[in-house]
Amino acid sequence: MIRFFRAGMVTLILLLIATLSALITMRFAIHGAEVSVPDFKGMTLAAAAQRAATLGVSLSVEGRLYSTELPAGRVLTQSPAPGSVVRREWQVRVTESLGPQRVAIPDVVGQHERLASIAIRRLGLELGTITRMPDAQVPPGTVISQNPLPHAAGVERPSVSLLVADPQPDPPAAFLMPDYTGRPGTAAQADLTRAGLSAATVGHTPPAGNPAAQASTASPGTVVHQSPGPGERVTAQTPIVLDLAP
């Protein structure tokens, strides 16, 4: 009995030792796959990439910014921040310094979009966002505004965004309002529908002026008054009202 108890205790101790060893090994394996991100700021891109490779992480240049603090070709910012613990093969994103702004922002307002784009790229600048809006004052495709403004100093990014004129939308089709006075309301409604217009028949009230005469002479259901009046310009958006005789 005592031998059986001792054998069981030995087996339990060996299992505990094996479990503890496995946990320690796993912890070292996990931490062995993690690295602390160094401070790349101020390093050349080549030196930063080499340092990243020795740690098992990759370096990715996500943008380029002007800087009066660091010369061109140096790392300006990074993410994750220095000291962050990441797993190996993690991607560290950096921005590259372009040094102080050395290129004047050109004035491309009034130029065609294509010529403005060529002028921007010729100076080594990037073409930023192009936004369009209708403008009846200039031909379509003309640059009507830019950001940064012409000759701006102290800009952050080496890009110029443009606002470009688009063609004016076509005006809606217009018609001259016929004279439906005395015609059946149903026929007038059908006529307006075929023309792409809509009419709302409201009430059965003859027009002001001589209601008694109108009421006595107009057949029931015929148009005694309309708005807009005959000959007026109407479109699909114009509200049309027909008053019918009771």
Side-chain angles (χ1 to χ4, degrees):
M1 186 69 179
I2 295 176
R3 289 181 178 178
F4 179 77
F5 178 75
R6 287 179 177 175
M9 289 295 294
V10 170
T11 302
L12 181 59
I13 291 172
L14 290 176
L15 287 173
L16 289 174
I17 293 174
T19 303
L20 183 60
S21 298
L23 290 174
I24 294 174
T25 302
M26 185 180 296
R27 183 177 180 183
F28 276 110
I30 293 174
H31 285 278
E34 295 178 339
V35 295
S36 177
V37 179
D39 188 357
F40 292 114
K41 185 175 181 179
M43 299 176 64
T44 64
L45 290 179
Q50 185 176 1
R51 177 72 185 282
T54 60
L55 295 173
V57 297
S58 61
L59 205 69
S60 172
V61 179
E62 296 291 319
R64 300 156 66 233
L65 299 174
Y66 290 121
S67 172
T68 57
E69 179 185 358
L70 293 172
R74 304 277 178 164
V75 175
L76 186 60
T77 63
Q78 70 179 78
S79 178
S84 301
V85 177
V86 299
R87 294 184 62 82
R88 290 184 183 275
E89 300 183 359
W90 195 270
Q91 187 178 75
V92 179
R93 300 183 299 274
V94 300
T95 56
E96 177 189 0
S97 170
L98 295 174
Q101 178 189 349
R102 299 181 182 278
V103 178
I105 302 299
D107 184 357
V108 295
V109 175
Q111 297 184 21
H112 190 274
E113 176 187 349
R114 184 176 64 84
L115 297 178
S117 302
I118 293 174
I120 290 169
R121 292 194 174 99
R122 185 176 293 164
L123 293 173
L125 298 170
E126 301 169 1
L127 186 63
T129 304
I130 297 180
T131 307
R132 305 179 188 278
M133 65 173 291
D135 191 323
Q137 306 300 317
V138 296
T142 302
V143 177
I144 54 181
S145 181
Q146 69 177 76
N147 183 35
L149 296 174
H151 315 300
V155 300
E156 183 184 51
R157 299 182 182 276
S159 62
V160 181
S161 297
L162 305 176
L163 179 61
V164 179
D166 247 5
Q168 285 286 98
D170 294 332
F175 305 88
L176 293 180
M177 186 69 177
D179 185 359
Y180 290 114
T181 305
R183 294 182 57 183
T186 54
Q189 288 273 20
D191 192 20
L192 292 169
T193 300
R194 283 193 298 271
L197 305 172
S198 61
T201 302
V202 292
H204 294 277
T205 306
N210 192 352
Q214 290 287 347
S216 62
T217 59
S219 301
T222 58
V223 179
V224 294
H225 181 257
Q226 67 181 61
S227 176
E232 294 189 35
R233 182 178 179 274
V234 294
T235 68
Q237 288 73 41
T238 304
I240 300 175
V241 178
L242 302 177
D243 288 328
L244 308 182

